[in-house]
Amino acid sequence: MSILLISRGRDINPWLETIKSERPELDLRVYPDTGSEEEITFAITWNHPLGAFKAFPNLKCIASMGAGVDHILKDPELPEDVLITRVTDEHLTNDMATFTTAVVLNYMRGLSAYKAAEQEGNWQPKPYLRQRDLTVGVMGMGVLGAEAATQLKKLGFSVQGWAKSHKSIEGIPVYAGADELDYFLATSNVLICLLPLTSETANILNKTTFEKLPQGAYVINVARGEHLVEADLLEMLDKGHLAGASLDVFRTEPLPKEHPFWSHPKVDVTPHIASVTNPASAAKQILQNYDRLHQKEPLINVVSRTKGY
């Protein structure tokens, strides 16, 4: 009953240290040094090499190191009978909510423009917006989206959500499905994408979507880079239909140095830091599932392969 840590592009040492500290008796292995493949029953992963999991005949569960699972589900050779779980953590949730709030406030007060003026030594006060001037629309009303919307509501913003199905969140109208998307977009001055990445949501931030937003709308993507059609965003920014965009996730990460987002005056770039998993808190939840698995108890935060989240 061994645990395999398998990750690309993420420092795995904090996970090793945390799990060893919590449970020193566990047989913990790090890919590709797997030892006997038959002994591995549980995997903890982020961005694994595609096809890697088919080598473990007794694997029962694949646990994502974060809230997202698209990096797992995109594997065409994923074993069919293996459970997949994700992390839901109050630190992740609060971090995302505070980040999106900070970005909305930055846009409302035009602070990025002042940073550019500072570099030029240009003292030029500008008019700014207030909460009453904006309706913030949050696409994706899961745990992260609901908390982001709730925190913005508490600050006095008019907030609305859009999801695959209707949800009940106090004080926040939630529209659902394709039939209600157009109205949601037409009434959102700030659009925040917090959708899971699925076949239905990939490329949803496209020209058609942007055209349905009010003139001068602002776009925030903190979900996945694959949600955004980059050329469409640049076109709508250059046409002046969109006032700007704040992007924390990209199709290629790190964002290539030659990418036009770096130098575009209407785009703010951050390096995928809106909400970062804390191994110290997330590992406890994952190890709880490891215990549940071997005690034949139901796991928590199990992902639906059909829904993609």
Side-chain angles (χ1 to χ4, degrees):
M1 298 192 298
S2 303
I3 298 177
L4 177 68
L5 284 173
I6 175 169
S7 176
R8 294 184 301 174
R10 177 172 290 195
D11 184 5
I12 211 164
N13 288 319
W15 287 87
L16 278 170
E17 294 168 5
T18 297
I19 295 173
K20 287 180 178 178
S21 174
E22 289 280 331
R23 305 283 288 277
E25 76 280 5
L26 293 179
D27 181 12
L28 192 61
R29 304 177 187 181
V30 179
Y31 186 89
D33 298 325
T34 62
S36 174
E37 295 167 340
E38 290 78 11
E39 295 173 350
I40 291 170
T41 58
F42 197 95
I44 304 172
T45 189
W46 188 266
N47 197 27
H48 68 281
L50 298 183
F53 290 122
K54 66 181 181 180
F56 309 106
N58 296 315
L59 185 64
K60 299 292 188 294
C61 178
I62 301 170
S64 173
M65 289 179 175
V69 293
D70 50 282
H71 59 101
I72 298 174
L73 295 177
K74 70 180 181 182
D75 188 343
E77 298 182 274
L78 202 62
E80 293 184 3
D81 57 346
V82 175
L83 294 172
I84 299 168
T85 66
R86 60 190 289 266
V87 169
T88 59
D89 179 76
E90 63 179 10
H91 297 289
L92 274 177
T93 304
N94 186 65
D95 287 353
M96 182 60 78
T98 55
F99 182 86
T100 51
T101 297
V103 173
V104 173
L105 291 172
N106 177 70
Y107 163 63
M108 184 180 76
R109 295 305 303 261
L111 300 183
S112 291
Y114 287 117
K115 186 61 181 177
E118 176 187 332
Q119 304 303 315
E120 301 170 359
N122 182 12
W123 181 281
Q124 183 62 52
K126 300 177 182 295
Y128 53 84
L129 300 169
R130 295 179 173 87
Q131 284 96 323
R132 65 170 180 261
D133 300 320
L134 299 173
T135 295
V136 181
V138 181
M139 301 182 83
M141 295 299 287
V143 174
L144 298 180
E147 182 62 22
T150 299
Q151 287 203 19
L152 286 162
K153 181 70 176 179
K154 289 178 180 177
L155 287 176
F157 288 96
S158 173
V159 184
Q160 58 189 14
W162 180 79
K164 187 174 183 178
S165 58
H166 285 285
K167 299 177 184 295
S168 179
I169 301 175
E170 186 177 355
I172 300 173
V174 179
Y175 301 97
D179 292 343
E180 297 182 352
L181 178 59
D182 286 1
Y183 179 81
F184 165 80
L185 293 171
T187 52
S188 295
N189 308 102
V190 175
L191 183 68
I192 301 174
C193 182
L194 270 166
L195 290 164
L197 181 62
T198 68
S199 59
E200 296 177 347
T201 65
N203 302 314
I204 195 169
L205 298 178
N206 56 40
K207 184 176 180 179
T208 300
T209 296
F210 297 146
E211 287 176 334
K212 293 175 181 177
L213 294 170
Q215 176 73 29
Y218 191 81
V219 174
I220 300 168
N221 188 19
V222 284
R224 286 291 183 265
E226 289 82 0
H227 284 118
L228 175 64
V229 180
E230 297 177 347
D232 289 1
L233 175 65
L234 290 167
E235 178 184 346
M236 298 303 282
L237 289 170
D238 292 340
K239 283 183 175 179
H241 183 72
L242 297 178
S246 178
L247 307 176
D248 186 61
V249 290
F250 306 91
R251 289 178 180 268
T252 301
E253 296 182 1
L255 186 64
K257 293 186 182 298
E258 67 277 7
H259 199 287
F261 285 159
W262 284 116
S263 58
H264 200 288
K266 294 183 179 180
V267 177
D268 287 337
V269 170
T270 49
H272 204 148
I273 47 77
S275 183
V276 180
T277 305
N278 180 355
S281 59
K284 289 182 174 65
Q285 182 181 125
I286 291 174
L287 290 174
Q288 181 183 356
N289 264 342
Y290 174 80
D291 292 337
R292 284 172 172 265
L293 179 71
H294 294 292
Q295 291 164 6
K296 297 183 172 21
E297 296 177 357
L299 305 193
I300 58 174
N301 299 323
V302 175
V303 171
S304 165
R305 294 196 187 204
T306 303
K307 293 181 179 180
Y309 53 91

